[in-house]
Amino acid sequence: MTTKSLTEKELSISLRLSLSKLRADRQRGIGIPYVKHGKSVRYNIDDVYQYMKENTYPKKGEII
């Protein structure tokens, strides 16, 4: 099974987030799940979509 993954730069551009924001989140152990291959960081596209789904507000059925 092959799954598409994004580099931190690709994800930064896609989500319009700074590289420093992604790096700070990784250092704090928060944010989008990632995989490290040596010094390279990759974000599985399915994990990105799942993270976005779980962190969408307001939640369905939630009263504002």
Side-chain angles (χ1 to χ4, degrees):
M1 180 171 103
T2 304
T3 304
K4 171 78 174 154
S5 63
L6 302 171
T7 65
E8 64 178 350
K9 187 172 183 178
E10 291 169 332
L11 183 63
S12 170
I13 292 167
S14 295
L15 297 182
R16 297 183 182 183
L17 294 171
S18 67
L19 282 173
S20 59
K21 165 68 172 146
L22 292 174
R23 291 172 181 163
D25 284 354
R26 285 197 311 268
Q27 187 175 21
R28 291 182 185 109
I30 61 173
I32 302 169
Y34 63 94
V35 175
K36 284 196 79 163
H37 299 282
K39 292 184 178 181
S40 298
V41 175
R42 297 289 184 268
Y43 292 89
N44 178 310
I45 194 72
D46 294 331
D47 290 341
V48 173
Y49 288 135
Q50 184 65 33
Y51 179 84
M52 291 173 65
K53 183 178 178 182
E54 291 171 358
N55 291 280
T56 299
Y57 296 92
K59 303 283 185 192
K60 290 187 178 188
E62 183 178 338
I63 299 173
I64 300 175

